Amino acid sequence: MTSLFAKELRLSKRHEEIVSQRIKFLQQRKSKLGDQNKEKASQTQAAEAAFKRNLSLLKDIEAAEKSLQIRSHPLPPPEVVSLETLYWASVEEYIPKWEQFLLGRAPHPIGVENQDEAENTIRNKAQQ
């Protein structure tokens, strides 16, 4: 009976050791999981900060690019734009006449008698 009692006592101590080790391992695992969650949250914050920084840098680069484009190709004064528009309107108006002349199917579109009239038309459009 003593041997059974001693055996029971040894088994009980061994059981306590195993339970104690189990609790220690569970605590280590819980601690490690908590550390991993903290690391993941930290990495997520770092990624969000990097994304915001990159977005800000991209906007700055686009603004600088736009500024450089404006400096390198400034818009002409409104008078020049107006004259340019009138010029291209005149060109489009006379294309069919010149096309026939260049193909050899019609006489010169602005003859000596029509030249004054054409110049007056151009002057009138420029004054408008």
Side-chain angles (χ1 to χ4, degrees):
M1 187 134 157
T2 331
S3 77
L4 286 177
F5 182 71
K7 202 174 192 181
E8 181 71 25
L9 192 59
R10 278 194 311 258
L11 286 174
S12 178
K13 284 184 181 182
R14 180 68 181 141
H15 175 72
E16 286 178 21
E17 288 174 9
I18 291 172
V19 169
S20 173
Q21 284 180 349
R22 180 177 181 266
I23 290 171
K24 188 167 63 170
F25 288 138
L26 287 174
Q27 286 174 344
Q28 287 174 349
R29 198 167 147 220
K30 188 176 180 180
S31 174
K32 190 173 186 177
L33 183 63
D35 290 346
Q36 287 175 344
N37 287 341
K38 286 179 186 176
E39 180 68 25
K40 186 176 180 181
S42 174
Q43 288 175 350
T44 302
Q45 282 181 335
E48 287 174 359
F51 177 77
K52 288 178 182 176
R53 184 185 64 244
N54 290 347
L55 192 61
S56 174
L57 289 171
L58 183 62
K59 286 179 182 177
D60 290 345
I61 289 170
E62 288 173 351
E65 182 181 16
K66 201 177 268 187
S67 173
L68 286 173
Q69 284 177 350
I70 289 171
R71 277 194 231 157
S72 65
H73 302 292
L75 294 176
E79 299 84 19
V80 173
V81 173
S82 176
L83 287 173
E84 199 173 272
T85 305
L86 290 173
Y87 169 78
W88 286 112
S90 172
V91 167
E92 288 177 8
E93 182 181 332
Y94 284 97
I95 283 178
K97 295 175 187 176
W98 279 99
E99 187 176 32
Q100 294 303 315
F101 167 73
L102 292 172
L103 292 173
R105 297 181 189 157
H108 196 279
I110 301 176
V112 176
E113 65 279 351
N114 292 341
Q115 191 163 359
D116 291 333
E117 184 183 317
E119 287 175 0
N120 288 336
T121 304
I122 292 171
R123 280 193 195 115
N124 288 338
K125 285 186 179 183
Q127 289 174 355
Q128 291 172 354

